[in-house]
Amino acid sequence: MTAKNLYLSLVLVVSILNGNSPPSLRAQVAPSAFKPSFSLSAGGMTSAFQFRDVGNVPDKTGGAGAYVDLNLFHGLGVEAEGRWQRFYVFRGISRDNYLIGPRVQFRPFWRTRPYLKVLGGFTDIGFGAYGGSGRFGTVALGGGLDFRLARRINVRILDAEYQLEEWPASLGPHSMPYGVSVGSAYRIF
């Protein structure tokens, strides 16, 4: 074996042991597949809310709803939800929410993924025994936990919201609604 061959063999062995293999020996330069961060999920939910309505009267309602999550880029996305609170209606007062806004998901822990959201839109309120109805601007601050049950199925373990509604002063004192929701969603793509 010549000195030149011994030198090249030694350089090759040392570089492989250091992890600095020559480019010709590498199997792949880039990953062979990428998971797209873009996804769309749609699902349903059930909710329970508490608030004080016209005349500062305590009220609790429940209802069903639907939501759509569009994830645009690694945890950043948009959520839209519609909620129809028609169960446990006190004095005929009902509320329908139509909200949309940004949502931020955090790193998953085991199979759960926490998120925060700020949604804006409007609430239609039917005042029942008080007469009349109205549409009011609404901003909802909230967050929750999604549990990945299967590859395409998520369970919304908890979704908590505090809603800020813009009411005219002529309706008297009232408090802002807050509540929780649970549900499930199917990832379309």
Side-chain angles (χ1 to χ4, degrees):
M1 186 180 241
T2 65
K4 184 177 178 183
N5 289 341
L6 181 63
Y7 175 75
L8 289 176
S9 299
L10 186 61
V11 168
L12 183 62
V13 168
V14 170
S15 65
I16 289 173
L17 291 176
N18 282 333
N20 301 328
S21 61
S24 62
L25 296 178
R26 293 185 183 169
Q28 290 179 325
V29 175
S32 61
F34 292 95
K35 179 183 175 193
S37 60
F38 186 80
S39 68
L40 178 69
S41 299
M45 64 183 164
T46 184
S47 305
F49 274 75
Q50 183 169 345
F51 48 91
R52 292 185 176 271
D53 262 324
V54 178
N56 215 19
V57 177
D59 193 358
K60 295 177 185 175
T61 63
Y67 65 95
V68 174
D69 290 332
L70 176 63
N71 294 315
L72 301 172
F73 181 76
H74 299 291
L76 297 177
V78 177
E79 179 167 317
E81 67 181 33
R83 184 180 294 114
W84 303 276
Q85 298 175 21
R86 305 293 173 114
F87 308 142
Y88 313 111
V89 175
F90 178 72
R91 294 190 185 180
I93 298 173
S94 63
R95 311 170 77 84
D96 299 337
N97 301 104
Y98 304 95
L99 307 169
I100 188 169
R103 183 177 71 130
V104 177
Q105 293 179 324
F106 299 102
R107 285 185 150 307
F109 174 73
W110 191 52
R111 290 165 59 176
T112 60
R113 190 156 192 182
Y115 63 89
L116 293 175
K117 62 184 180 177
V118 177
L119 307 177
F122 61 90
T123 299
D124 288 333
I125 301 177
F127 291 107
Y130 296 103
S133 63
R135 177 174 283 183
F136 305 101
T138 304
V139 173
L141 308 171
L145 284 173
D146 282 341
F147 177 78
R148 185 175 166 193
L149 185 64
R151 190 172 145 230
R152 292 192 175 266
I153 298 174
N154 284 336
V155 174
R156 186 152 281 183
I157 297 172
L158 173 70
D159 179 74
E161 280 186 15
Y162 180 77
Q163 296 180 353
L164 304 165
E165 296 176 346
E166 185 64 38
W167 285 31
S170 62
L171 292 177
H174 65 283
S175 70
M176 302 302 167
Y178 57 92
V180 295
S181 302
V182 295
S184 62
Y186 179 78
R187 187 169 56 99
I188 299 166
F189 58 85

